[in-house]
Structures are given as structure tokens and as C-alpha cells.
Amino acid sequence: MKILAISDMEAPFLWDYFDKRRLEGVDLILSCGDLDPRYLSFLATFTAAPVLYVHGNHDDGYALNPPNNCICVENRIYTHQGLRVLGLGGSMRYKSEGAHQYTQRQMHLRVLKLQFQLYLHRGFDILLTHAPGYRLNDGSDLAHTGFEAFNNLLERYHPSYFVHGHIHLNYGRKYPRLSAYQNTQIINAYEYHFFEC
């Protein structure tokens, strides 16, 4: 299965200089958040592949203008062609106001509420989030600190992939696009990245 992962920055390669041949063979699009909903709607228009998304910390506007023909997978497991995708958007809470921000405890509680779904689906294959895991190529500031709950999910369920955004690859520090934690391949989806599953 060919998957396109996107996050944080609309890629001119896919939007401004669009050529529909670039989406040929793509079976699934995963959005990790902080993208213009019109961008997701645009991509959904030019492919038969489902566009799944979670919210980033800057996606407050999705409440009024959600992306058209896209599927929000927040707090649930979505299955596509046998591939189970678990969605948990948002970032660490770093200010008092703003949707899609959570404390470590709040994220642990979100995961706890998923236990029955995790049992029914016998785990998941892809963890789709906005923020990274704790100390898994996360930032040193509060806003970009990763969630411990994600590490726990990786350790317990051993998914094949953990796809996240939020950590921009142009931040100045050399964050890797690809890394691993135990048996899980971690993908930073900043801008765009194609991979086979």
C-alpha cells in the first residue's frame, strides 16, 4: 500500500505546482495536522484514496470549516483495506486557551478511553498523531515536548508505523525524517513524505 503522509506546511509540490500524476498509486493520505482545510479538500478531490486527519494545535478553524470529503480519525481506530489507523491529534498544552492542546495526564486519559476499541481491533498498525512521542525526536520547549502516552502505546502494541508532525524539519536542529523505536518505524510527516506499507 502506498501512503502519503503530510503535516504542518502545504507542499508547493502537491498544491501550487500540482500534477495529478503525483498522486497516482496512492492508496491512503494521512494528515498529521496544522494544514489549511482547503489543502486537504483539494487533495481529496484529485484522488480516490481516503484522506484521514487528526488536528494540530493550530487547527481551531476546523470546527467551522472542516476539510471536505476527508475523515477525522480523532480518538478512534479507522480500518482501510485491513490497515488499522489510530488517531490522536493535538500537542502539549503550552497556553491557557486554544483547542487541541493537552497535558500529559489528559493524553493518558484519552488513550485510556480507547481501551475497548484497542481490544476489539486487536491493536493497530499505524499511530497517527500531531505531536511526537516523549523524547522521540521531540523539542526541548514545552510546546514541542512529546507525549509519554504515545511511547506507552508503541511499547504495548508494537505498531508498524508511528506517523507524526509538529516538529518542523527546518527548525535549525537536525531532526530526522525517519527513526525507530523498538520495532516501530517513526515518520516525521513535515510537509510531505511517501512510504509503502
Side-chain angles (χ1 to χ4, degrees):
M1 183 181 297
K2 185 176 181 180
I3 299 175
L4 168 61
I6 54 178
S7 189
D8 297 289
M9 178 180 171
E10 294 79 19
F13 172 80
L14 294 170
W15 203 5
D16 296 342
Y17 310 109
F18 180 71
D19 181 339
K20 65 180 180 180
R21 291 174 295 184
R22 293 178 180 149
L23 294 178
E24 284 180 5
V26 171
D27 300 295
L28 185 63
I29 298 176
L30 302 175
S31 171
C32 299
D34 281 358
L35 291 167
D36 189 322
R38 294 171 300 173
Y39 178 59
L40 299 187
S41 300
F42 175 83
L43 292 175
T45 300
F46 288 99
T47 179
V51 178
L52 310 184
Y53 71 91
V54 294
H55 297 99
N57 53 300
H58 298 299
D59 288 337
D60 295 6
Y62 277 34
L64 294 176
N65 297 302
N68 295 319
N69 302 313
C70 300
I71 303 164
C72 180
V73 294
E74 288 280 2
N75 304 313
R76 67 181 179 125
I77 297 171
Y78 181 90
T79 303
H80 176 67
Q81 296 180 5
L83 190 71
R84 301 160 298 171
V85 180
L86 170 59
L88 286 163
S91 74
M92 185 69 70
R93 178 161 295 285
Y94 57 93
K95 59 182 181 178
S96 58
E97 295 181 4
H100 315 300
Q101 294 180 35
Y102 306 90
T103 63
Q104 293 283 9
R105 183 175 183 277
Q106 287 170 328
M107 188 58 77
H108 278 294
L109 289 173
R110 287 179 71 190
V111 170
L112 190 61
K113 291 176 182 176
L114 292 169
Q115 291 308 304
F116 187 62
Q117 284 190 64
L118 287 162
Y119 171 76
L120 283 180
H121 288 88
R122 297 181 179 166
F124 57 97
D125 303 297
I126 297 178
L127 177 59
L128 176 65
T129 70
H130 181 61
Y134 183 71
R135 298 301 172 250
L136 298 180
N137 302 312
D138 62 350
S140 56
D141 60 313
L142 179 61
H144 295 92
T145 297
F147 286 108
E148 296 166 351
F150 298 165
N151 299 42
N152 295 342
L153 283 168
L154 301 183
E155 291 163 7
R156 182 170 180 184
Y157 295 99
H158 307 285
S160 299
Y161 296 93
F162 173 19
V163 182
H164 71 83
H166 196 48
I167 304 299
H168 296 206
L169 297 180
N170 62 357
Y171 273 170
R173 179 183 154 192
K174 292 189 177 179
Y175 291 101
R177 167 77 73 190
L178 304 174
S179 58
Y181 184 69
Q182 297 182 352
N183 296 323
T184 301
Q185 173 80 63
I186 300 174
I187 299 172
N188 183 335
Y190 174 73
E191 196 172 5
Y192 74 94
H193 181 73
F194 292 95
F195 68 101
E196 297 278 347
C197 183

